[in-house]
Amino acid sequence: MNQSSERIVVGIDGSDAAINAAKWAVVEAVSRNVPLRLIHATPARSGDAGGDASLEVEYAQTSLRAADAALQATGEPVKVECDVVPGPPERALIDESHVAAMVCVGSVGIGRIARKVLGSTADAVARAARCPVAIVRGNDRAQPDSGWVGVVVNDSPGNDAVLEEGFREARLRGASILALGVWRWGLGEIPYRQLDRRLRRWVSRYPEVHVMPAAARHGVAQFLARTQESIQLAVVGSEDADEVARIVGPVGHPPPAGRSVLVVRG
C-alpha cells in the first residue's frame, strides 16, 4: 500500500455520515493539493469464514464506490484513492494517522452513551490518532457565513498547533474566530492581555481573519453547551479529546450550523 503523509484520510462505512465526512474533507484536500484517501475497514477473519469475508469485502467495495461517486459529483478537482484495509475501524484509522495529514470520520450526533452510539470509532480515533482528527457533523461543509470557528486559547505547550489549525480553518471557510480563553481565574472578566499575547502572532499572519475573544474558563465543552453563538467548527487540543462527545452535541438536537470538532495534536 502506497501511503504518504500528504493525504487526507476518511473512514467509510457505508453510512451517509461517512459520505458527509468525505465531502467535508474534499475542501481540506483541495486546499493542500493532496489526494483524498477513503478507507473501509473489514474485520480480520479466520480461514473458514470465506463466505462472510467475501460479502464484507464486496460491501466495503460498494461503499467506497458510492462515496467516490458522491465526491466526483461535487465537481471539485480532487484525486480520490480507495482502499479496503483489514482490522477494526478504529485501529485502521489510528494506524493511518501515523502517516496522514488529517483523519476525518462522520458523526450523526453524540449522546450520553457516546462510545456505544459511535461504536467507539470516533471516540477512540480522537483520543489516540497521531495527526489532527475531524469529527464531522452535519450534511455538508457549512457555508462560509454560517458560524464561527471556535478555537481554544491557553498557555499549554501544544496550543500553537491548535491556533495554527484554527486560523487556517477560518481562512479556508471565510469564517471568523471565536477565541475561547480557558484561563480559570478572575471575576468573570475576559483575560484580554493573555489572549492578545497568545493571538498576536497568528493575527499578524492571518490579517484577513476576524477574531473575537470569549471567556471559557470552565472548559470548551461547557461553553459550547451554553452559548447562543453559532459555532460551525470547534478546534481543540488533545487534552480535550475526551470531551468530543459533549462538544459535538447530543443526538436529536443539532447545534446551529452542525458543529464539527477538529482535535489537534500539539
Side-chain angles (χ1 to χ4, degrees), residues 58-79:
E58 182 179 349
Y59 176 76
Q61 293 172 339
T62 299
S63 299
L64 288 169
R65 284 195 296 268
D68 185 25
L71 298 184
Q72 300 305 326
T74 68
E76 295 288 344
V78 61
K79 179 181 178 181

Side-chain angles (χ1 to χ4, degrees), residues 24 27 136-148 172-175 230-233 256-260:
W24 189 96
V27 184
V136 180
R137 177 163 178 179
N139 292 327
D140 276 325
R141 175 176 287 272
Q143 294 301 311
D145 60 351
S146 61
W148 300 86
L172 183 61
R173 296 160 175 268
S230 175
I231 311 290
Q232 58 172 295
L233 176 68
R259 183 189 306 144
S260 300

Side-chain angles (χ1 to χ4, degrees), residues 90 109-125 127 241-246:
E90 59 270 24
I110 311 175
R112 293 181 178 178
I113 51 172
R115 293 164 186 77
K116 294 182 180 179
V117 171
L118 288 178
S120 79
T121 299
D123 181 69
V125 175
R127 291 169 181 266
D242 60 349
E243 295 282 3
V244 166
R246 293 179 62 201

